[in-house]
């Protein structure tokens, strides 16, 4: 249950961070103070780190094996399509 929650938080902040960095860059180029985009960027990087630690802590060895098996299967399927 917590693994899915941490993954969701990670995915959301994975998109919030670059968007807020872009807004911050735009504001700084035009000579305006950082303000809200800076706070969003700092908050999202902290949440990214915390959620990544939560994913690593809550991931079980069985889940890792299953994920590696899925990656291997999709790579094999991709190679078979290219031939």
């Amino acid at each position: 249950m917590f693994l899915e929650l941490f993954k969701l938080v990670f995915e959301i902040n994975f998109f919030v961070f670059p968007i807020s960095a872009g807004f911050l860059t735009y504001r700084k180029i035009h000579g305006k103070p950082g303000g809200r985009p800076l706070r969003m960027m700092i908050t999202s990087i902290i949440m990214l780190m915390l959620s990544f630690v939560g994913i690593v802590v809550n991931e079980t060895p069985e889940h890792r094996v299953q994920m590696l098996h899925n990656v291997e299967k999709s790579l094999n399927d991709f190679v078979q399509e290219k031939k």
Side-chain angles (χ1 to χ4, degrees), residues 23-34:
F23 281 131
L24 178 65
T25 304
Y26 176 81
R27 290 181 64 84
K28 287 297 183 178
I29 287 174
H30 289 90
K32 298 177 183 175

Side-chain angles (χ1 to χ4, degrees), residues 5-42:
L5 177 66
F6 283 122
K7 284 184 179 182
L8 178 66
V9 170
F10 185 83
E11 290 171 0
I12 290 170
N13 285 294
F14 189 78
F15 289 104
V16 169
F17 179 73
I19 291 169
S20 60
F23 281 131
L24 178 65
T25 304
Y26 176 81
R27 290 181 64 84
K28 287 297 183 178
I29 287 174
H30 289 90
K32 298 177 183 175
R36 184 178 295 159
L38 179 63
R39 287 191 305 267
M40 281 176 43
M41 191 174 79
I42 291 171

